[in-house]
Amino acid sequence: MAATTRDTFSPDNNGVTKIPIVSSTPFSSSFKEIPPPFDVPHLLEDITSNAKVGSQGDEKARKKALAAARSLCLALETPPEAIVRIAWAEPALSVAARVAIALNVFEHLSKDAGKSSSELAALTGADPVLLGRILKHLAAMGVIHEVDADSYASTSLARALTVPIYRDGIPF
């Protein structure tokens, strides 16, 4: 008989994820409980304590806070959310960033806060609808900040992407 597994993975009310066990019995619903990979309360404490010290110039504490924050995101992300992020959001981010770099969007946002997609389209010669979609994705991924509906501002990352050494690190 062929081995079967259940297709879905979801945590129960206690945060314990049940993973499928390969079984020789068709339609088996045998699951083994495993503890969650990240302890959310502990990660929150790490973020809080290290961020306080890190904001005062302690680079090691800042990096610990950043690592804990990334782990927290992974701990809270569901498998379908991770798949969307890996397959769609991250690959599209590189392309959106390259288009914005080619159109000098980051330079325009660095000069004035609160530009709309139509204002940026007029400055860059881009199609307003297409540029609006690119801006939405850049904002969703934290590269720029959406101040209000269709109003965008620069972030520290967007300002860094105006500098050739950082801008050239985004492959096209």
Side-chain angles (χ1 to χ4, degrees), residues 4-57:
T4 60
T5 61
R6 185 169 166 175
D7 294 329
T8 59
F9 300 91
S10 60
D12 65 13
N13 292 336
N14 297 319
V16 174
T17 302
K18 294 183 177 183
I19 59 171
I21 303 295
V22 177
S23 169
S24 59
T25 308
F27 309 108
S28 171
S29 62
S30 174
F31 287 86
K32 175 183 177 186
E33 288 189 6
I34 58 168
F38 304 105
D39 177 8
V40 172
H42 184 257
L43 290 170
L44 290 169
E45 287 174 21
D46 281 354
I47 293 167
T48 303
S49 63
N50 286 305
K52 286 178 185 174
V53 177
S55 67
Q56 298 169 354

Side-chain angles (χ1 to χ4, degrees), residues 93-108 124 131 134 138 143 157-158 160-164 166-172:
L93 176 58
S94 179
V95 174
R98 277 313 305 167
V99 170
I101 288 167
L103 294 172
N104 294 316
V105 168
F106 301 126
E107 284 82 353
H108 292 297
T124 62
L131 185 58
I134 290 170
L138 290 170
V143 178
L157 176 55
L161 290 172
T162 66
V163 179
Y166 298 115
R167 179 180 60 227
D168 295 345
I170 305 290
F172 203 15

Side-chain angles (χ1 to χ4, degrees), residues 70 73-74 77-99 134 136-138 140-143 157 169-172:
R70 287 183 175 147
C73 288
L74 294 173
E77 187 175 54
T78 65
E81 290 166 338
I83 291 165
V84 168
R85 176 180 50 80
I86 292 165
W88 295 101
E90 290 173 353
L93 176 58
S94 179
V95 174
R98 277 313 305 167
V99 170
I134 290 170
K136 285 279 186 196
H137 188 65
L138 290 170
M141 299 302 289
V143 178
L157 176 55
I170 305 290
F172 203 15

